[in-house]
Amino acid sequence: MRDKNVFSFKRALPRMSWSPQNLYNLWARTQGPKSSEIDFRRTSKSLFQQRWRSKAVVRAYHGDYINEKIFKRWYLPETLPDVRPRKQFGSDTGDQATLQEFARRKQKEKDYELEEQERGNAPVGSLMFAEIERRIDIFIFRCCFAHSVYEARRLVIHGDVLLNGKKHTDANTRLAPGDMVSVNPDAIRFFKPRQPGHDDVNNYDAQKEEAEKSDKKLSLTPFYLPPYASPWLFIPSYIEPSFKTCSAIYVRHPTSRPGYSEIPTPYDADGEVVRFAWEWYAERRPRLRSKSQLDRMPDDRALRMKELANERESLLKDTERISSRG
């Protein structure tokens, strides 16, 4: 953890943590006395001050331990994505028309337009943090395998995490769709001996006593939740977890639908706070990336797999061209 006073009540900046102090900061910043600092409907602050304040509170939650320079260079998208279904212009014939009909693209376009009329536009502002959500440490926190993103990062660095069956110690790695992450059960705090104030979710202690009296083998796993953990117990839809095996699959990249964003955030997914934060970074994003900078880029498995696929495709084309000449 970079800042030992990360849960300061004076600053009241929500973080990725189940701490009761963080839960109070979440209330204070969004509903309590600190919420007026990010309510810009009636304010004397300049546009610069509004953007800076929005950037500060948003970054405190989304990757506060990531260096600001690194965040702007590697984790900030060039533009906010367009999540609307891709429309086709002109008339398709032959195989292309059959493929479009099989994919039901026209029906998807109609359904999306109806949903957009009912709920409004998709909140794409929060998708500026899509690259952050792909990090393996944040992925472990979203799976509810760790109490905080700081603990999830420690699990990765200490070698308690497997990526696709192999030991992985780089917490900066960005996952690709289909990657499976497994966590060592002995390192998860939920399964360790019960601490004062923790809830026995599956009544393990009572069943253990009954099993000892009747000399039966207990197949139940202990599961102890810390106090005030229920507000954080949710799994985003782009994650497929398996709590029996302490593993999860990164199914796809997060997206948004009209009235709904898949990226969890304490603030309105397309509200003025997120929009001001995007405007701040849009004006200050580094434009140039030298070869030395590219060598220092955090591991991106999706990009690496794309490059490998392109290499295979070019190799197949070269092989076909050589065989046709022969």
Side-chain angles (χ1 to χ4, degrees), residues 140 145-146 151-152 154-156 158-163 166-168 181-192 242-248:
I140 292 172
F145 291 147
E151 183 180 0
R154 178 185 60 80
L155 292 175
V156 178
H158 288 188
D160 292 316
V161 173
L162 302 179
L163 177 58
K166 296 182 180 180
K167 185 177 178 180
H168 193 81
V181 177
S182 305
V183 181
N184 182 9
D186 296 333
I188 298 178
R189 277 204 275 171
F190 306 131
F191 303 149
K192 294 186 177 181
S242 173
F243 295 104
K244 292 183 178 180
T245 59
C246 295
S247 61

Side-chain angles (χ1 to χ4, degrees), residues 23-156:
L23 186 61
Y24 172 81
N25 288 338
L26 176 63
W27 168 82
R29 178 60 61 181
T30 56
Q31 303 292 332
K34 294 288 185 178
S35 61
S36 59
E37 296 182 4
I38 54 174
D39 186 1
F40 304 124
R41 288 173 295 183
R42 294 180 181 178
T43 180
S44 59
K45 295 179 180 178
S46 65
L47 183 59
F48 174 88
Q49 291 173 323
Q50 295 177 41
R51 289 175 175 175
W52 186 89
R53 170 56 60 181
S54 301
K55 184 271 298 185
V57 298
V58 165
R59 280 281 285 122
Y61 182 80
H62 295 279
D64 60 311
Y65 54 90
I66 301 174
N67 182 277
E68 185 73 4
K69 189 175 182 180
I70 293 176
F71 172 79
K72 289 191 293 185
R73 177 162 289 151
W74 303 116
Y75 294 100
L76 196 65
E78 294 183 2
T79 58
L80 294 177
D82 187 358
V83 296
R84 294 172 296 181
R86 186 175 53 188
K87 293 187 177 182
Q88 299 292 323
F89 298 96
S91 58
D92 294 328
T93 57
D95 295 339
Q96 185 68 17
T98 305
L99 181 61
Q100 298 296 332
E101 182 63 27
F102 176 77
R104 298 179 180 177
R105 182 152 289 150
K106 293 182 179 179
Q107 184 63 37
K108 289 180 180 179
E109 292 175 8
K110 292 180 181 178
D111 294 343
Y112 189 90
E113 289 177 357
L114 291 174
E115 194 175 6
E116 202 172 45
Q117 291 175 3
E118 294 176 0
R119 302 184 181 181
N121 295 329
V124 296
S126 61
L127 293 182
M128 66 182 289
F129 305 111
E131 292 296 310
I132 292 286
E133 294 294 316
R134 289 175 52 203
R135 286 177 57 99
I136 190 171
D137 50 1
I138 292 182
F139 177 80
I140 292 172
F141 172 71
R142 295 295 187 210
C143 295
C144 297
F145 291 147
H147 291 203
S148 67
V149 71
Y150 313 111
E151 183 180 0
R153 185 175 178 82
R154 178 185 60 80
L155 292 175
V156 178

Side-chain angles (χ1 to χ4, degrees), residues 298-324:
D299 185 21
D300 188 346
R301 286 182 48 77
L303 181 61
R304 197 196 320 162
M305 293 174 66
K306 185 177 180 181
E307 291 175 351
L308 289 174
N310 292 336
E311 290 179 4
R312 289 173 187 164
E313 186 177 354
S314 61
L315 184 61
L316 286 174
K317 289 182 179 179
D318 293 340
T319 305
E320 291 176 356
R321 186 168 60 251
I322 292 172
S323 60
S324 62

